[in-house]
Amino acid sequence: GAVVSQHPSRVICKSGTSVKIECRSLDFQATTMFWYRQFPKQSLMLMATSNEGSKATYEQGVEKDKFLINHASLTLSTLTVTSAHPEDSSFYICSATRDYEQYFGPGTRLTVT
Amino acid sequence: QKEVEQDPGPLSVPEGAIVSLNCTYSNSAFQYFMWYRQYSRKGPELLMYTYSSGNKEDGRFTAQVDKSSKYISLFIRDSQPSDSATYLCAMLTGANSKLTFGKGITLSVRP
């Protein structure tokens, strides 16, 4: 199967700082990547769709100025949580598409203190 | 009505049991059907992917799609404690489109 990595796997930051999470497709090129967040015991919530070379499309209710997404290449998308607050603490997961299949990264646990 | 409904859980079975997980959907535009397995604190892992109505088998797992009834299932034979996880059904309308997930069901296989 295809492999998607995320970095870091875990991050703790102070309130008001920004955090960048990287998502990479290691063995395939992905024109489209997705970013999700997941709260404990809940399903994944789609935040945004990231297309290489164009602006991300955000889901309703997701602040695009707070969650900055950059899809700079066919193997890399980044999510930057700006001015993080404790309520942003969550599990962030990316996925990358190969044909009709979507492969997920291992997730990044963000804790904002 | 939600686009994808998944049988609620949790589900607990003894080791060796056959497990049946089910989802229904209302959007006829869904053409591609997936089952993901997610262990605690990990990203979802693609287990099975199907397109057409019928059965698809992979080892102990069988995915079944009935487009006329808008119903999909995942069967796990000879279930193992390592199968204990949350299982999510998911659907696509086309390539690079958004996945629509069911809520997920937590399966526990007792030794």
Side-chain angles (χ1 to χ4, degrees), chain A:
Chain A
V3 181
V4 177
S5 70
Q6 276 183 247
H7 179 79
S9 58
R10 184 184 298 251
V11 59
I12 300 172
C13 70
K14 291 189 175 180
S15 188
T17 61
S18 295
V19 173
K20 181 185 282 190
I21 303 169
E22 291 186 349
C23 177
R24 293 181 185 273
S25 54
L26 297 185
D27 51 1
F28 67 101
Q29 294 184 327
T31 54
T32 304
M33 291 184 172
F34 298 89
W35 286 96
Y36 299 81
R37 64 188 297 182
Q38 187 176 35
F39 292 105
K41 299 188 178 180
Q42 293 188 25
S43 192
L44 292 88
M45 185 190 83
L46 180 65
M47 298 175 67
T49 303
S50 167
N51 290 298
E52 188 265 338
S54 61
K55 288 185 179 180
T57 303
Y58 291 82
E59 295 300 299
Q60 193 172 12
V62 177
E63 300 175 60
K64 60 181 180 183
D65 294 330
K66 181 168 185 61
F67 298 100
L68 301 178
I69 292 172
N70 187 326
H71 195 152
S73 76
L74 288 173
T75 59
L76 173 64
S77 176
T78 60
L79 168 68
T80 301
V81 183
T82 62
S83 187
H85 290 285
E87 57 265 31
D88 298 324
S89 298
S90 189
F91 192 50
Y92 291 86
I93 311 174
C94 70
S95 71
T97 58
R98 185 179 72 176
D99 298 327
Y100 299 98
E101 299 169 352
Q102 265 193 47
Y103 295 92
F104 285 83
T108 296
R109 183 157 304 280
L110 170 64
T111 303
V112 184
T113 60

Side-chain angles (χ1 to χ4, degrees), chain B residues 88-106:
Chain B
L88 299 141
C89 63
M91 308 182 185
L92 280 175
T93 56
N96 299 321
S97 65
K98 297 186 285 189
L99 275 172
T100 300
F101 284 97
K103 288 192 79 172
I105 183 169
T106 298

Side-chain angles (χ1 to χ4, degrees), chain B residues 69-80:
Chain B
S69 301
K70 296 190 178 66
Y71 190 91
I72 70 170
S73 297
L74 178 71
F75 299 97
I76 307 174
R77 289 184 299 281
D78 187 24
S79 56
Q80 303 293 311

